[in-house]
Amino acid sequence: MNTLQRMAFLAGSVMAGWSASAQTNPVTSATPSTQLQAFSRGRVAHQRTLGLTLGSYALANMAVGALAAGRERTEAHYFHRMNVYWNLVNLGIAGLGLLGSRKADPDTETLAEAVRRHESMKQTLLFNAGLDVAYMAGGAYLIERGRHNSDKRDQFTGFGKSVIVQGGFLLVFDLVNYALFKKRGDRQQDALLGRTSDGIGLVIPLR
């Protein structure tokens, strides 16, 4: 190898090293396995927070609804009664979510599993937001039906208003958590996948 070839080889080696270093995760100097654990743990912690928040909201609504419903069959009675029914379901969903987060083992997930579960969580939150809009539309339908049914006006109106309120809360809940989930998780996911402005790059830790 002559002098010119050696210089060319050295320059190529330096450029290759610089390129690999540029694609290393800029957020943290931790090894990829540690980054992956942090990514998975963050998802599980967020799921646990979702369950605790929804469960607390459900218990509070059930307590207030049970006290405020009263015995007289008025619009307020049906409103609070539906709140109790609705939040029994919310409490069950929250309990299942918490159980799932307790069973999860984020430290053993592969990158493919972690990415799939992260994307699945985002899709679930968006799907739920769509259902929330449908719930609110159903509540509006019940109120409209009550206007044309004098015998059950209080029942339809009370139930309808409750469904709109509960659906509205869940819509905000799901959209806010989707935004938080995406903001936190997507950045970590991109770092793990070595995403660059030109697409996906190979992450080569220089150690």
Side-chain angles (χ1 to χ4, degrees):
M1 181 181 293
N2 59 35
T3 303
L4 183 59
Q5 289 175 324
R6 289 174 180 170
M7 292 178 64
F9 177 77
L10 179 60
S13 299
V14 172
M15 290 299 293
W18 177 85
S19 178
S21 177
Q23 292 195 39
T24 303
N25 180 14
V27 178
T28 177
S29 60
T31 62
S33 60
T34 303
Q35 294 176 25
L36 178 55
Q37 289 176 356
F39 177 53
S40 297
R41 288 173 182 174
R43 187 198 73 249
V44 172
H46 194 157
Q47 287 178 269
R48 187 177 297 113
T49 300
L50 286 176
L52 290 172
T53 303
L54 185 60
S56 299
Y57 172 83
L59 288 173
N61 268 261
M62 290 168 62
V64 172
L67 292 173
R71 295 184 178 180
E72 188 177 352
R73 298 298 189 264
T74 62
E75 179 184 315
H77 165 83
Y78 290 109
F79 174 83
H80 291 293
R81 185 168 151 187
M82 176 57 76
N83 283 347
V84 173
Y85 294 157
W86 190 279
N87 283 283
L88 278 171
V89 177
N90 281 345
L91 187 61
I93 294 172
L96 289 174
L98 287 171
L99 182 62
S101 68
R102 285 180 62 86
K103 290 183 176 180
D105 188 1
D107 293 343
T108 62
E109 289 182 354
T110 65
L111 177 58
E113 289 172 339
V115 169
R116 175 170 52 81
R117 288 166 183 167
H118 172 70
E119 293 298 327
S120 177
M121 189 65 189
K122 290 195 301 181
Q123 292 172 8
T124 298
L125 288 169
L126 282 182
F127 178 76
N128 287 346
L131 287 179
D132 300 335
V133 174
Y135 297 150
M136 296 172 71
Y141 167 76
L142 288 175
I143 292 174
E144 183 62 26
R145 187 174 176 184
R147 292 174 180 170
H148 303 285
N149 190 327
S150 57
D151 292 338
K152 294 186 176 181
R153 179 170 298 167
D154 287 342
Q155 181 178 354
F156 282 135
T157 303
F159 281 172
K161 288 182 178 179
S162 172
V163 172
I164 289 176
V165 169
Q166 298 299 329
F169 165 79
L170 290 176
L171 178 61
V172 174
F173 180 80
D174 288 329
L175 289 179
V176 168
N177 279 285
Y178 170 81
L180 293 174
F181 207 91
K182 181 176 176 62
K183 181 179 180 181
R184 177 198 59 79
D186 282 10
R187 183 168 49 228
Q188 291 176 303
Q189 178 176 277
D190 289 350
L192 285 166
L193 294 174
R195 191 182 301 273
T196 66
S197 59
D198 298 322
I200 303 296
L202 177 65
V203 176
I204 307 176
L206 299 179
R207 289 182 177 274

